Amino acid sequence: MIKKAIAVMTSGGDSPGMNAAARAVVRTALYEGVKVYGINNGYQGMLDDDIEELTSRSVSDLIQRGGTFLGTARCPEFKTPEGRRKGFENLVKRGIEGLVIIGGDGSLTGGSLLSKETGLPIVGLPGTIDNDVWGMDYTIGCDTAANTIVDAINKLRDTASAHRRIMLVEVMGRNSGWLAMMSGIAGGAEFVLVPEVKFNIDSMCEEIKAMYDAGKRYSIIVVAEGAGSAIEIGKAVEEKTGIDTRVSVLGHIQRGGSPTVEDRMKASMLGEKAALAIISGASDIVFGFNEGKVVGVNLFEAVNNTKTLNPELVRLARVLA
Ligand SMILES: Nc1ncnc2c1ncn2[C@@H]1O[C@H](COP(=O)(O)OP(=O)(O)OP(=O)(O)O)[C@@H](O)[C@H]1O
Ligand SMILES: O=P(O)(O)OC[C@H]1O[C@](O)(CO)[C@@H](O)[C@@H]1O
Ligand SMILES: [Mg+2]
């Protein structure tokens, strides 16, 4: 049972809702009479001893903000046992007895090693727009990012239709096609190219030509960054179809913005869950949502398995195109 102090941090790429999750961790712990430290700038701040005590006021005016007030980073030194030991010592000297890590698969992998090597209790929350954490179908921020992408698709469709153009939209997701698939289906894309499913440019181009012959005025192709460069694919598509083609690489615009209600709600619920779990002595769990319900997944299982793309969504994208 942890009674005195815990710490919370965000790590990896920021995601909308990380603030809501950290706020919930802080306020729940304080409500339970437990001191909370914030580690600034992810694992880099843990190594640099950039750690400060948080109050309820520290997390005011945050629920609506994207990014992360704690800051985040990618920290190569934490990948070494020496780096992790150094970070651990900065926690121990403050009497920190448990850590909540809000981050993606990489951050959770770092946390699993820290737990294994030091015995520090760790609870993870999936904070990433990539939606690539095993054992759950939602990660904090993926809904806001998907909404941003769908908004872009809506706008691109207007101009594509006006000019009878093919429009490719490259979206983030690293090696995962989840974000592309969510936004492709919700945005009504004709094709969603993802790294998990082989695609054939020739047959896609034949289909597009047939659609145009039948009177269609535009075609939207969502390309997951892990599936290849939309710029290169776009060149091939224009060459093979002879149809005017344009490419938009959405980039970091997808990572920012005020979180949606879904991200705020789920992040708040998961933040409370994580704080209560770590305070009650639990460790090595990642809390997330799966099929609408909160799930607790073993941290080592979460980081040692690769999430696959739901084949029903792959089929749905094709059927509805
Ligand atoms: N194998 C690993 N061992 C130890 N630490 C790791 C490992 N992988 C990642 N980390 C730590 O976690 C940090 C964040 O990881 P990464 O850059 O993969 O982002 P992430 O948490 O997966 O989030 P996102 O993919 O959304 O950006 C790394 O910079 C590093 O400090
Ligand atoms: O912001 P950076 O470091 O360029 O990283 C970009 C990567 O981070 C993410 O936005 C989140 O993992 C990926 O989708 C993308 O590939
Ligand atoms: Mg990741």
Side-chain angles (χ1 to χ4, degrees):
M1 177 85 177
I2 292 172
K3 291 204 188 74
K4 291 200 191 98
I6 64 166
V8 60
M9 63 182 279
T10 52
S11 171
D14 58 287
S15 68
M18 275 184 163
N19 279 329
R23 169 180 178 268
V25 171
V26 172
R27 293 204 168 153
T28 303
L30 294 175
Y31 186 81
E32 297 293 321
V34 173
K35 203 184 257 193
V36 193
Y37 288 92
I39 302 172
N40 294 319
N41 307 321
Y43 291 123
Q44 194 59 55
M46 194 191 287
L47 299 188
D48 296 345
D49 206 16
D50 189 358
I51 301 169
E52 56 194 315
E53 194 178 333
L54 300 173
T55 66
S56 194
R57 293 284 69 77
S58 316
V59 291
S60 297
D61 193 17
L62 273 186
I63 184 102
Q64 79 283 13
R65 294 198 193 169
T68 162
F69 82 104
L70 288 168
T72 186
R74 305 202 194 274
C75 172
E77 201 185 337
F78 200 76
K79 293 189 174 174
T80 66
E82 300 74 34
R84 292 191 288 274
R85 174 58 53 180
K86 188 169 146 196
F88 174 64
E89 281 162 11
N90 288 331
L91 304 183
V92 170
K93 74 180 183 196
R94 288 183 174 79
I96 292 167
E97 300 158 287
L99 172 63
V100 176
I101 300 169
I102 307 167
D105 56 341
S107 303
L108 298 173
T109 301
S112 71
L113 294 170
L114 186 65
S115 163
K116 197 150 70 182
E117 291 164 3
T118 67
L120 180 76
I122 285 177
V123 169
L125 293 182
T128 172
I129 65 164
D130 296 341
N131 202 359
D132 59 352
V133 177
W134 184 86
M136 49 199 72
D137 58 17
Y138 163 87
T139 58
I140 296 165
C142 72
D143 184 64
T144 306
N147 273 285
T148 302
I149 296 166
V150 167
D151 184 48
I153 293 174
N154 292 343
K155 289 172 175 154
L156 291 167
R157 181 187 277 112
D158 289 345
T159 173
S161 173
H163 287 265
R164 292 206 82 191
R165 280 175 175 161
I166 299 171
M167 202 56 90
L168 283 88
V169 191
E170 184 180 306
V171 306
M172 284 185 168
R174 217 178 273 272
N175 303 316
S176 166
W178 266 94
L179 185 60
M181 195 49 79
M182 288 166 69
S183 32
I185 291 173
E190 276 66 43
F191 297 91
V192 186
L193 309 185
V194 291
E196 293 89 343
V197 182
K198 270 201 178 142
F199 54 90
N200 181 323
I201 295 193
D202 290 326
S203 60
M204 181 173 81
C205 289
E206 286 311 312
E207 275 188 58
I208 294 173
K209 279 197 284 181
M211 285 177 193
Y212 269 66
D213 289 345
K216 191 148 175 95
R217 294 195 58 85
Y218 63 87
S219 185
I220 305 284
I221 307 174
V222 173
V223 182
E225 63 177 345
S229 155
I231 294 174
E232 294 310 314
I233 297 170
K235 276 185 203 151
V237 166
E238 184 161 46
E239 213 176 274
K240 287 174 196 290
T241 58
I243 299 168
D244 213 12
T245 299
R246 294 291 185 273
V247 179
S248 294
V249 179
L250 292 188
H252 287 79
I253 205 158
Q254 296 160 88
R255 279 239 298 262
S258 182
T260 57
V261 170
E262 179 172 356
D263 279 332
R264 295 183 198 196
M265 281 298 295
K266 288 185 168 164
S268 299
M269 290 168 76
L270 294 176
E272 184 205 31
K273 195 92 187 152
L276 292 178
I278 200 99
I279 288 168
S280 68
S283 184
D284 302 333
I285 305 178
V286 185
F287 287 107
F289 272 85
N290 199 42
E291 296 183 348
K293 292 201 177 71
V294 175
V295 289
V297 176
N298 177 274
L299 174 61
F300 300 99
E301 268 192 87
V303 299
N304 289 323
N305 285 290
T306 302
K307 181 165 162 181
T308 52
L309 195 56
N310 182 346
E312 285 176 25
L313 293 185
V314 176
R315 193 182 47 83
L316 185 64
R318 285 308 292 144
V319 170
L320 300 185

